[in-house]
Amino acid sequence: MKNQRSLSAWSVAATSLLFAGCSQLSGGVPNDRGATTGGASGSSGSVGPDGAGGPSYTGLGKDGECTIDEPPAARLVRLSYRQLGNSTIAELGPEAMTGVDIVELNKREFQTLLNEGDLINGQVLPKTVSIAEAAAASLVAPARFTAVTGCTAPTTDACAQQYLAKYAEGSYRRPLTADESASMLKLYADLKTAGNSIDESVRYTVEGITIAPPSLYRTEFGVKGADGLYALDAYEKASELSYFITNGPPDKTLLDAAKAGALSTAEGVASEVDRLIALPASATNLGEVVTAYYRLSDLSTTIKDPMLFPSYQGLVRSMYTETQKFIQEMLWQGTVNDLLTTRKTFIDEKLAAFYGVQYPGGTGFVPFEFPVGQRKGLLTQASFLSMHSRTNTTSVVSRGLYINSSILCGQTIPSPPAANAAQIDALNKNTMLNEREKADVRATTSPCNGCHASFDQYGLVLETYDAIGKYRATYPDGKAIDTSVKLPALAGGAQVTDVTQLIDTVTQNGTYSVCLSTNMLKYALGSAGAITSTDCSVKSIHDSFKTTDQSFASLVRQVALSKTLAVRKGAQ
């Protein structure tokens, strides 16, 4: 049996621990988990988005003050493949994921479970099992088995059982219940009875633990307080915060804090949040999160007409790297508004030539600052401008829709009526009109003007950048490009002359930072749900954020400390 998988091992692993785990998850918070009713909540000050154009919040209560929206319901949250892989690596080391493609870095989704699914089903199970199998297989080599388990050959039952208890507690991210401990020991004993050696029984039990529900899911059941809400217990809070900030399981320090009751106070939670944010894993994870939110991976499938843009294909990798490095670095410098307002970026020699600037020297990508008036922030980078253009020309509609939804969190724009499809197609194919003229047609044509009035302006201010992001002053027909527009009400309604004024407006009036607050809350909850930028849960976070240095780290901190993350409604 040493070199082949035991069917009996799989059968036992897939029943004993699964059913034992299900009974614990469905039963709510076990009595012997050392639960605490404490939870932190962000302050709810009076400093909201300043200037014109800030959002109008829903749920207004007495005297016009915004009250916290109804908390999310108690629930189970499945770990994503990446989170399960990271959790397994935390217990067994990187060797545990050898040969397992958890997820390609540049394919990460912003709301992962919306794509993977939040339940274990026929599609999710095979990949989940492959992670568990890899974990067990990583313990085959005797030297590694000893290094991981601490059990020297010949392995004794006492050492094996001690290690398995440790592995299960780490995988479940909390102390085991009596039933869970008994179930695990029974599985180990049944495996030995089936003819497996001690080492084999350990490996198969590790596999069973890895696919048990408490490993695959984290709970948000909470403990009922005097206010009728359910505050997440210490271990639930530890897992929630850790997977939000690092995309991995709570480390020993965080689990020790949970065990000691340190997470029962706002100060204790804040201390651990600050520590987590400072970890290298947090910078990596949150950089990936924001990169995924802005859908940078779409650049790899963005195609341009090679006759019109012969240099494009040779620039794609440089465009991607510029934005990836920009996000990863700028998140941790200055304020969140710098993502749109800074003239700093990273360029290589190819991009320097493309942008028409002098390469600073050095090797590969180096820091660079554009001269005043040329470019600033994400919206003027070649990657963004290329992704939101057609193959042969720019697209006021695509660029406008993206800024409306992803930068400013505007209302979702419905698809145009089918009855107008021919009319729209004819306008798009009309080569006698440039993009500005097509926008003018939409602005004066019903029913087009009803929707396009809320986003075309955002695309028009970018018309001085062509379909791959190169600056231009005129259209191919020789007509001068006019980027002056009156902004939609969402952005403040002001008259602006170019994209730099749009950027200044939406960063100064708070519309952009409110939108970013909204999306970081969505990510922290692991569900898009029904959260909008006008919800009071967002206002509470943003009000607190406005009293800070307004850095990205401070925004993450306010989300982590918010009441929205701390409490749930209803018993499980």
Side-chain angles (χ1 to χ4, degrees), residues 80-89 96-105 116 127 130-131 247:
S80 68
Y81 300 132
R82 185 78 164 270
Q83 290 174 342
L84 180 60
N86 288 344
S87 300
T88 306
I89 288 171
M97 289 296 97
T98 300
V100 177
D101 176 23
I102 302 172
V103 63
E104 295 179 29
L105 176 61
E116 291 184 3
K127 197 157 190 175
S130 72
I131 294 174
N247 210 36

Side-chain angles (χ1 to χ4, degrees), residues 127-452:
K127 197 157 190 175
T128 304
V129 170
S130 72
I131 294 174
E133 289 179 338
S138 73
L139 298 177
V140 170
R144 176 164 159 75
F145 182 92
T146 297
V148 171
T149 65
C151 299
T152 56
T155 308
T156 64
D157 282 326
C159 186
Q161 292 170 0
Q162 182 179 19
Y163 169 71
L164 290 172
K166 176 178 175 292
Y167 180 75
E169 187 165 311
S171 295
Y172 293 2
R173 305 167 295 279
R174 56 169 172 75
L176 302 185
T177 66
D179 286 347
E180 287 167 342
S181 181
S183 177
M184 179 197 66
L185 293 176
K186 183 178 186 302
L187 170 59
Y188 171 75
D190 289 347
L191 287 165
K192 285 184 61 184
T193 300
N196 295 284
S197 68
I198 290 180
D199 287 11
E200 287 171 334
S201 298
V202 168
R203 295 203 305 270
Y204 293 138
T205 304
V206 162
E207 184 173 338
I209 291 169
T210 307
I211 61 163
S215 293
L216 304 182
Y217 289 87
R218 60 180 181 83
T219 65
E220 293 182 356
F221 297 158
V223 178
K224 190 173 184 179
D227 58 1
L229 298 177
Y230 291 74
L232 300 190
D233 77 29
Y235 293 105
E236 290 175 325
K237 172 62 74 174
S239 284
E240 178 190 52
L241 292 175
S242 187
Y243 285 115
F244 162 38
I245 297 172
T246 73
N247 210 36
D251 59 15
K252 184 178 185 302
T253 302
L254 185 52
L255 289 175
D256 286 347
K259 183 177 182 179
L263 302 185
S264 64
T265 66
E267 294 75 15
V269 174
S271 176
E272 282 303 303
V273 166
D274 291 341
R275 184 184 66 81
L276 290 174
I277 291 174
L279 296 176
S282 301
T284 299
N285 170 53
L286 295 171
E288 289 180 15
V289 167
V290 176
T291 300
Y293 175 71
Y294 289 122
R295 300 187 65 85
L296 181 58
S297 63
D298 287 356
L299 186 63
S300 64
T301 56
T302 299
I303 299 172
K304 302 297 175 184
D305 185 331
M307 298 298 291
L308 296 174
F309 306 104
S311 65
Y312 171 72
Q313 201 56 45
L315 288 166
V316 170
R317 184 178 293 275
S318 293
M319 291 177 178
Y320 180 93
T321 304
E322 176 195 14
T323 303
Q324 182 185 47
K325 288 181 67 66
F326 172 83
I327 291 174
Q328 191 67 58
E329 294 291 331
M330 294 311 300
L331 283 180
W332 310 105
Q333 303 175 24
T335 70
V336 296
N337 284 338
D338 288 342
L339 286 169
L340 296 190
T341 63
T342 185
R343 291 183 284 112
K344 296 177 181 179
T345 189
F346 296 86
I347 61 172
D348 61 2
E349 290 185 271
K350 288 183 178 181
L351 282 180
F354 175 77
Y355 285 138
V357 297
Q358 183 69 38
Y359 182 62
T363 303
F365 278 84
V366 295
F368 177 78
E369 186 167 349
F370 286 110
V372 175
Q374 285 195 9
R375 297 173 190 261
K376 60 180 184 179
L378 284 169
L379 297 185
T380 61
Q381 291 185 2
S383 59
F384 167 82
L385 295 163
S386 296
M387 287 189 293
H388 301 288
S389 296
R390 300 189 186 93
T391 58
N392 61 342
T393 187
T394 60
S395 174
V396 165
V397 172
S398 177
R399 290 174 176 180
L401 283 171
Y402 183 85
I403 291 174
N404 177 70
S405 63
S406 298
I407 302 297
L408 305 179
C409 292
Q411 291 185 345
T412 300
I413 306 298
S415 299
N420 296 103
Q423 177 187 10
I424 294 168
D425 187 56
L427 180 62
N428 288 338
K429 291 179 178 179
N430 188 337
T431 58
M432 302 301 291
L433 300 178
N434 58 45
E435 282 291 296
R436 179 83 197 205
E437 291 166 338
K438 291 177 182 179
D440 289 341
V441 171
R442 291 191 294 268
T444 56
T445 304
S446 179
C448 304
N449 54 358
C451 288
H452 285 270

